[in-house]
Amino acid sequence: MRSAVEEFRIDKRDGQYSLIRLEYSDDMLKLNGFYSEKQSDGNGGEYYLYELRLTDNKPTKFNVSKQVKAASGCTVKYYRTADGRANGTGALSSFDLMTDSVTSSVTYYVRVTSGTGATRDYDLRIDGLSMLEINRYKLIHTVNADGVRVYEKELIGSALRYAERDIIPVETLFEGVAYSCGRDGRYNMIERKDYVAASPAFGTTLELYFYDEAAVVSDCSEYNKYAKIYTMTEYDGGWALATYGTQCVGIAVLPNTICGKPVLSATFSSSSATELYVEEGVKTFTAKFADCGALTDIYLPTTLRTVGLRAFGGINDDAVIHCAFASNDTGSFDAFWNYKSGSNAEYTTYYLEGYSVPEI
């Protein structure tokens, strides 16, 4: 018989209420406080989810065995890893479970054995949810002589406080906001509707930016285009880009700016990129390469003014440097700018080769 007391989560989104039952049960066990439906990890795996509000945003003790009730005649064992469960090694003791804490996310690999010896496996994930301080900003910018945006941000109202994954009503989110949309720090667009509070990349302060809709749409699109081939870190003064292994395959583009901010550096490590196109507007070549034997062609723009010593070390020894400028335009470059690492030989270099930057 089902317990007369059950847990539910009440959601209100876009004016509509819904009840989500926080319990799963079958003939072998019951999970109290877990979502009744399995969640997907995006890689073909599934798990049962429990959301734990962290105490003061700090590691919080959580004994998962208190939430798991085995059916009559069944026994439960907990493991740290799927391999441990498969091999039946390293089962957690009651002391291990009693002293465990959750910071961000913990997965337990559970095996239930019935009285007849039948077994069934369950993956239980505990997500720790922090309380967020949410600051909303009106974003204003001007463009300087180099085509780079100079930003100012103006705080809208007072900070909001919600836990991760809470739903912020549209009336609260857009109170005092003159624009129809905005974005978060990861360039996810925020539309004028109820909003699920997402965790920031770092810390527990979430910043949301509101400005002209056309600019928001353009910025989010541009960011996501480059995020396909680079790991992108944003600073006040610009971007640091990095790409590793098969993150970029084939053509890579090194832009002058992304969302109006200059690209400060780019690192290619064991990259599968075969061609690198540097956009017009770039004045200083800041890319660095390590073990990029697949990279055989680099295209440099007319605007380039600074290239350092052996700037292309780490690419294929037979690579070709294609320059949109003339050979006598390299006076401001290092004297050995196009020399191979540890060698007095130059990369094959062609001049006055115009090119178009391909779409990625």
Side-chain angles (χ1 to χ4, degrees), residues 163-178:
E164 293 176 73
R165 302 179 189 169
D166 275 354
I167 297 173
I168 306 175
V170 60
E171 299 85 0
T172 301
L173 184 66
F174 278 84
E175 183 180 4
V177 175

Side-chain angles (χ1 to χ4, degrees), residues 22-84:
L22 298 179
E23 178 190 286
Y24 169 80
S25 62
D26 59 27
D27 59 323
M28 295 187 80
L29 90 172
K30 183 167 80 169
L31 304 175
N32 293 317
F34 285 78
Y35 282 85
S36 58
E37 300 295 329
K38 283 185 177 180
Q39 311 293 308
S40 172
D41 65 6
N43 297 309
E46 293 183 319
Y47 58 90
Y48 293 97
L49 175 64
Y50 186 104
E51 294 179 327
L52 175 68
R53 293 286 182 93
L54 298 180
T55 303
D56 298 327
N57 289 351
K58 295 178 180 178
T60 300
K61 284 188 176 181
F62 180 80
N63 187 344
V64 66
S65 68
K66 298 293 186 183
Q67 308 302 126
V68 178
K69 305 299 180 185
S72 178
C74 294
T75 57
V76 183
K77 288 188 176 181
Y78 302 84
Y79 300 86
R80 296 282 187 209
T81 66
D83 286 344

Side-chain angles (χ1 to χ4, degrees), residues 142-261:
T142 55
V143 179
N144 67 17
D146 294 323
V148 173
R149 294 184 198 171
V150 179
Y151 286 95
E152 291 184 18
K153 57 184 185 180
E154 179 182 305
L155 186 64
I156 301 172
S158 55
L160 307 176
R161 289 186 61 80
Y162 284 86
E164 293 176 73
R165 302 179 189 169
D166 275 354
I167 297 173
I168 306 175
V170 60
E171 299 85 0
T172 301
L173 184 66
F174 278 84
E175 183 180 4
V177 175
Y179 302 102
S180 61
C181 65
R183 64 166 176 84
D184 64 14
R186 293 175 175 174
Y187 288 80
N188 297 304
M189 190 168 172
I190 299 170
E191 298 178 276
R192 189 176 277 272
K193 59 183 183 180
D194 291 351
Y195 173 73
V196 179
S199 58
F202 304 101
T204 57
T205 300
L206 179 62
E207 295 191 346
L208 307 180
Y209 304 99
F210 297 89
Y211 50 108
D212 177 71
E213 180 178 359
V216 171
V217 172
S218 175
D219 285 352
C220 291
S221 174
E222 186 174 14
Y223 175 90
N224 287 303
K225 176 176 72 172
Y226 288 111
K228 294 176 183 176
I229 61 172
Y230 293 110
T231 299
M232 303 167 61
T233 304
E234 185 175 14
Y235 299 98
D236 287 343
W239 298 92
L241 310 181
T243 186
Y244 309 90
T246 57
Q247 192 173 5
C248 175
V249 177
I251 293 172
V253 173
L254 183 58
N256 180 37
T257 62
I258 298 175
C259 302
K261 286 186 173 182

Side-chain angles (χ1 to χ4, degrees), residues 67-359:
Q67 308 302 126
V68 178
K69 305 299 180 185
S72 178
C74 294
T75 57
V76 183
K77 288 188 176 181
Y78 302 84
Y79 300 86
R80 296 282 187 209
T81 66
D83 286 344
R85 178 177 63 189
N87 299 327
T89 58
L92 299 174
S93 68
S94 58
F95 179 78
D96 292 328
L97 296 170
M98 183 176 64
T99 57
D100 267 357
S101 291
V102 175
T103 301
S104 55
S105 183
V106 176
T107 300
Y108 293 94
Y109 299 88
V110 174
R111 174 159 290 175
V112 181
T113 304
S114 72
T116 62
T119 62
R120 192 175 298 162
D121 292 342
Y122 304 81
D123 293 356
L124 308 184
R125 191 170 109 178
I126 319 303
D127 282 358
L129 305 184
S130 295
M131 182 62 69
L132 303 177
E133 179 177 296
I134 303 170
N135 293 315
R136 300 169 301 143
Y137 293 98
K138 175 182 178 181
L139 203 59
I140 306 166
H141 73 264
T142 55
V143 179
N144 67 17
D146 294 323
V148 173
R149 294 184 198 171
V150 179
Y151 286 95
E152 291 184 18
K153 57 184 185 180
E154 179 182 305
L155 186 64
I156 301 172
S158 55
L160 307 176
R161 289 186 61 80
Y162 284 86
E164 293 176 73
R165 302 179 189 169
D166 275 354
I167 297 173
I168 306 175
V170 60
E171 299 85 0
T172 301
L173 184 66
F174 278 84
E175 183 180 4
V177 175
Y179 302 102
S180 61
C181 65
R183 64 166 176 84
D184 64 14
R186 293 175 175 174
Y187 288 80
N188 297 304
M189 190 168 172
I190 299 170
E191 298 178 276
R192 189 176 277 272
K193 59 183 183 180
D194 291 351
Y195 173 73
V196 179
S199 58
F202 304 101
T204 57
T205 300
L206 179 62
E207 295 191 346
L208 307 180
Y209 304 99
F210 297 89
Y211 50 108
D212 177 71
E213 180 178 359
V216 171
V217 172
S218 175
D219 285 352
C220 291
S221 174
E222 186 174 14
Y223 175 90
N224 287 303
K225 176 176 72 172
Y226 288 111
K228 294 176 183 176
I229 61 172
Y230 293 110
T231 299
M232 303 167 61
T233 304
E234 185 175 14
Y235 299 98
D236 287 343
W239 298 92
L241 310 181
T243 186
Y244 309 90
T246 57
Q247 192 173 5
C248 175
V249 177
I251 293 172
V253 173
L254 183 58
N256 180 37
T257 62
I258 298 175
C259 302
K261 286 186 173 182
V263 173
L264 306 174
S265 65
T267 302
F268 293 77
S269 299
S270 303
S271 176
S272 298
T274 57
E275 300 174 78
L276 174 61
Y277 290 81
V278 182
E279 277 189 352
E280 283 289 328
V282 173
K283 295 181 179 180
T284 301
F285 188 80
T286 59
K288 302 292 182 184
F289 308 95
D291 300 317
C292 294
L295 190 52
T296 56
D297 292 272
I298 294 182
Y299 295 82
L300 303 178
T302 60
T303 52
L304 205 56
R305 297 293 178 266
T306 303
V307 183
L309 172 67
R310 303 182 194 276
F312 308 102
I315 69 173
N316 192 298
D317 271 355
D318 296 321
V320 177
I321 311 300
H322 305 264
C323 306
F325 47 81
S327 59
N328 59 4
D329 289 333
T330 61
S332 59
F333 296 3
D334 187 277
F336 297 92
W337 69 278
N338 61 343
Y339 278 62
K340 300 176 183 180
S341 292
S343 170
N344 288 324
E346 299 178 48
Y347 284 102
T348 300
T349 305
Y350 297 133
Y351 297 94
L352 293 175
E353 283 201 340
Y355 62 91
S356 297
V357 175
E359 283 294 321

